Amino acid sequence: MAKKRVFSGIQPSGTLHIGNYFGALKQWVSMVDDFDCIYCIVDYHALTTVKDPAQLRNNTIEGAKDLIAVGIDPSKTVLFNQSAVLEHTELAWVFECLVSVPFLMQAHAYKDKIAKGLEANAGLFNYPMLMAADILLYDTDFVPVGADQRQHVEYAREAASKFNHMYGDTFKEPHEKILDAVAVVPGTDGQKMSKSYGNTIPLFGSTDEIARSVMSIVTDSSGTTPSNVLAIHRLLKPEEELASLYEKNMGNYKALKEALIDDLDAVISPMRAKRNALSDDDVKAVLTEGAEKAASIASAKMRDVRKKIGVGT
Ligand code: AMP
Ligand code: TRP
């Protein structure tokens, strides 16, 4: 039986944190053997916010290194950058002509960004339709993402169903795959870990950087268990082991933080070593090969779309 198709994307927006890893990338890695996986560095999505060309290009290369280092094996998956397959932006336009402005105005991600005072460029507004194009070009079954992306996958389903209804059956309706247990990874202040809150633990940080972030975790002095430390520890160790560790060190926050540093470093150090061994040329070759494979699927789908909508001759 053919494997089900998985597609996911990540913005090349700079340094990854452990929230990105436990909330999303770890799941991507775990699917590599059982699914036909396509992973995409969505550089055109990043253009909604990153305006420095050198930075965008560099982030894309570094983003590919990140993915390979966490365990996405390019010999078993398709790994490419979005802008290398032109059909993504082309199909996004087709969807934008299909959906209404009020429909897009309901997007949480857009509303949040506007609420934070970010400039409302039209790309940011249309973001969900580019994401829908990413997913739908490849007849995707499952989209592994963090909980914050659930609505975007619903948008992709809507776009598929609107198109199919109007032009005939063309796109498969995809489903999100969200790991509920780690749906939101808390940061050092207990809020959602996010670059914009400055509460992150860097995924490829040095042992010192990890230690500094962990030592800065806010502990609630009213109880005996540092809940923000435990919440991150839960990502690394089974509950029984943690119960005895936290029992033994009750009230000793320093010892518990040191244990967390060791446990984090044990996971991170092999990934850090793998990442350091990758050159820019290595990853450019991977992306080029990935783009060729992706384009062969995407171009066939777009030919069908163009015929159905009545563009071209
Ligand atoms: P971002 O760069 O913030 O868009 O995140 C990239 C991926 O990591 C998305 O799938 C997010 O849902 C996921 N992610 C980011 N921060 C967290 C977090 N604190 N907890 C769980 N998942 C996260
Ligand atoms: N919007 C996603 C995020 O910010 C990134 C993304 C773009 C994506 N295209 C995608 C995720 C397609 C899954 C599938 O995390």
Side-chain angles (χ1 to χ4, degrees), residues 210-225:
I210 298 168
R212 235 176 294 134
S213 302
V214 170
M215 283 304 168
S216 77
I217 294 176
V218 178
T219 45
D220 175 1
S221 54
S222 65
T224 50
T225 301

Side-chain angles (χ1 to χ4, degrees), residues 61-80:
I61 299 293
E62 296 303 315
K65 286 185 191 168
D66 292 339
L67 297 185
I68 299 168
V70 298
I72 289 165
D73 181 345
S75 70
K76 297 182 183 167
T77 56
V78 173
L79 177 60
F80 74 110

Side-chain angles (χ1 to χ4, degrees), residues 7-11 42 45 127 131 134-135 143 145 149 152:
F7 184 100
S8 199
I10 187 160
Q11 290 202 42
V42 291
H45 274 119
Y127 185 110
M131 180 158 162
D134 297 340
I135 297 167
V143 186
V145 280
Q149 295 298 313
H152 280 156

Side-chain angles (χ1 to χ4, degrees), residues 76 141 256:
K76 297 182 183 167
D141 297 291
L256 291 169

